[in-house]
Amino acid sequence: MTISDRDLRRGRWPEHMFSPPAPDKGRGDTSADYILRWTLVGSALAGLPNLTGWNVLPMTFVLNGGIALSMMVGFFGPRTPSIARATWLLFAGGYLTVKLTALALGSHPAGPDDLLQAYKAYIFLVPLVWFIGRKCFTPAGLARTVRQILAVTALKYLIVFAATAGTHRPGVWTENNFELMLVIGLTYLAWPHLGRNRGWWMTLLCLIVLIGESRSGVIELALVFVVIFWRPRDPRFLLYVAGGGIVVWLSNYVFSQRSNGSPSDRWQFWQIFRAESAAWNLNDWLVGRPPLTPLSLESCDRLAPWGGLRAMNATDICYSVGLHMFSLRVLMDQGVLGALFLLLFIWLALRASGAGMRDRVALLGIGLANSMSVSAFNSEYLLIPLLVAAGLRYRAHPSPTAPPVPVERVSG
């Protein structure tokens, strides 16, 4: 039986095919593979000694530096298929131009930090365009990177858990509400290539999320489980359902641990959003308020306890970033149409790169789940899995439920 290139790109493998294709027999890890590994694993190791704090390195600079370096070395890599990247760039740049022009014509006293926080997710579309279909990340190289990330992350989380008797939420790079997006997203992409022990690697990921006590992380993990294992025709489906039951128990445990009987801060952010949007008209809901419209003085006062976490350029002015939840912020600054533009752009960009339907659902689902808590698409910790997905060699992407094929390291 033959399989078309189109099916290969979309990850469509017949359920009865028990032998996935042979692993990629290229020249071994690419420069992009090494940069990803050095950036993430190296910085994670640097964060091990700090038990009660986050990484000592300036992680925003480190992560963006790694992304920029990956883009630079790509110019010296192999030629990639012809893709209308200029058209993609035109759409991303056009959206930013319209919004920034509207901001320039307005009178809101927004500072550069506020501007970056409001449009970071849309600025990130530019590097995403560059990686579309580049095939600069190899499945085997990604699997090696993920194994090391999981090992270092689990080590740090276990050390912190033991040293603080479970009273402190650990973080390898930053707050685990953010970093777990990266760990879960990359583990999902590497899952088909993790070898015969991939079940144990997934178990280790579950342990990391359990210790991290991140509610958004639990939802993201549950979503990935559903995407990977929801295959009713697979003979091992009941085993997967049992694993899903463990994830449900994990969810109940984490949510009960984080609940103290009082309304969560996210509920308070939602109440502030309701007050701010009470007088909106249809245009406000569709395209958002004028760029970086300050919140009311009453809302700023209610956000005072979270002042250290939001961008402000004056003591009496604050912006939507104070709400922290990307789902609320994107509606205030970009509107429903702006949010749909972002999601549709990422969906189509990943499809053009060869990502299958399940891959796109998983990665966008992780972002949407995280957007109900923190920054989601505004964060480098989600951008990196998206870039890897856009630049991955999907020709060697076996079925997630087929018996794993041992991946040998190819020297060269």
Side-chain angles (χ1 to χ4, degrees):
M1 181 177 61
T2 61
I3 304 176
S4 67
D5 287 345
R6 183 179 181 183
D7 288 335
L8 283 169
R9 289 194 301 270
R10 295 186 176 182
R12 292 179 176 174
W13 295 93
E15 295 289 345
H16 61 278
M17 284 189 65
F18 294 103
S19 298
D24 188 11
K25 295 294 185 179
R27 297 182 178 179
D29 292 355
T30 64
S31 298
D33 287 327
Y34 284 119
I35 292 172
L36 179 70
R37 190 173 309 142
W38 295 338
T39 300
L40 297 181
V41 179
S43 58
L45 290 172
L48 281 178
N50 191 3
L51 296 183
T52 58
W54 300 330
N55 206 295
V56 296
L57 299 176
M59 285 309 304
T60 299
F61 174 81
V62 170
L63 295 181
N64 283 302
I67 292 170
L69 188 56
S70 297
M71 295 173 68
M72 291 174 59
V73 299
F75 286 111
F76 305 100
R79 297 184 64 181
T80 58
S82 177
I83 296 176
R85 296 187 183 91
T87 303
W88 291 91
L89 188 60
L90 179 63
F91 277 106
Y95 185 91
L96 286 171
T97 300
V98 170
K99 283 291 188 175
L100 295 179
T101 299
L103 177 62
L105 296 175
S107 60
H108 304 308
D113 289 342
D114 303 292
L115 177 66
L116 181 62
Q117 290 300 324
Y119 292 98
K120 205 172 182 181
Y122 296 84
I123 296 172
F124 284 163
L125 297 181
V126 176
L128 179 64
V129 168
W130 190 95
F131 279 95
I132 293 176
R134 293 283 179 182
K135 298 184 179 180
C136 53
F137 298 103
T138 65
L142 176 61
R144 280 188 280 273
T145 300
V146 166
R147 291 188 192 100
Q148 295 178 29
I149 290 174
L150 288 174
V152 175
T153 303
L155 177 62
K156 174 68 179 289
Y157 278 41
L158 286 170
I159 291 175
V160 172
F161 182 81
T164 64
T167 60
H168 187 83
R169 291 174 62 191
V172 172
W173 298 289
T174 184
E175 181 183 346
N176 55 30
N177 279 337
F178 298 85
E179 68 181 22
L180 285 176
M181 284 190 295
L182 187 152
V183 178
I184 294 173
L186 291 183
T187 302
Y188 168 79
L189 291 173
W191 164 254
H193 315 285
L194 287 176
R196 298 188 181 279
N197 294 321
R198 61 183 177 180
W200 291 109
W201 291 112
M202 184 61 76
T203 302
L204 192 60
L205 176 63
C206 293
L207 177 64
I208 291 170
V209 175
L210 173 64
I211 297 176
E213 294 186 4
S214 168
R215 288 171 289 192
S216 60
V218 167
I219 297 174
E220 294 158 23
L221 178 65
L223 174 67
V224 165
F225 260 73
V226 171
V227 173
I228 292 178
F229 298 116
W230 186 258
R231 299 172 184 269
R233 289 184 293 177
D234 190 284
R236 293 160 293 184
F237 180 65
L238 292 179
L239 181 61
Y240 303 150
V241 171
I246 296 175
V247 175
V248 171
W249 171 84
L250 175 67
S251 305
N252 290 332
Y253 174 82
V254 171
F255 278 80
S256 63
Q257 288 292 104
R258 295 289 305 281
S259 176
N260 55 13
S262 59
S264 69
D265 51 4
R266 272 61 177 179
W267 175 253
Q268 297 181 59
F269 297 152
W270 167 248
Q271 294 300 317
I272 294 174
F273 173 80
R274 288 185 60 190
E276 289 289 322
S277 61
W280 282 9
N281 56 36
L282 179 61
N283 185 70
D284 294 330
W285 282 104
L286 289 178
V287 300
R289 298 286 288 162
L292 290 175
T293 299
L295 301 182
S296 66
L297 294 180
E298 179 182 356
S299 294
C300 289
D301 290 340
R302 294 175 66 180
L303 288 171
W306 298 275
L309 298 177
R310 59 192 168 104
M312 296 176 61
N313 77 319
T315 56
D316 59 342
I317 296 177
C318 66
Y319 300 95
S320 63
V321 67
L323 299 177
H324 304 306
M325 300 163 63
F326 183 80
S327 56
L328 302 184
R329 292 159 55 185
V330 72
L331 289 177
M332 297 192 76
D333 292 327
Q334 318 294 340
V336 174
L337 294 181
L340 291 177
F341 172 83
L342 177 69
L343 297 176
L344 185 61
F345 190 102
I346 295 174
W347 177 274
L348 295 177
L350 295 182
R351 188 180 72 171
S353 300
M357 175 74 77
R358 288 175 181 261
D359 297 339
R360 285 172 271 152
V361 169
L363 293 176
L364 284 178
I366 290 172
L368 289 172
N370 191 265
S371 72
M372 304 303 295
S373 178
V374 285
S375 60
F377 299 96
N378 247 38
S379 173
E380 289 83 0
Y381 293 92
L382 181 59
L383 174 64
I384 289 177
L386 292 177
L387 298 184
V388 172
L392 191 61
R393 295 181 182 176
Y394 285 98
R395 183 62 68 95
H397 198 313
S399 169
T401 56
V405 172
V407 178
E408 300 178 358
R409 181 162 186 155
V410 180
S411 60

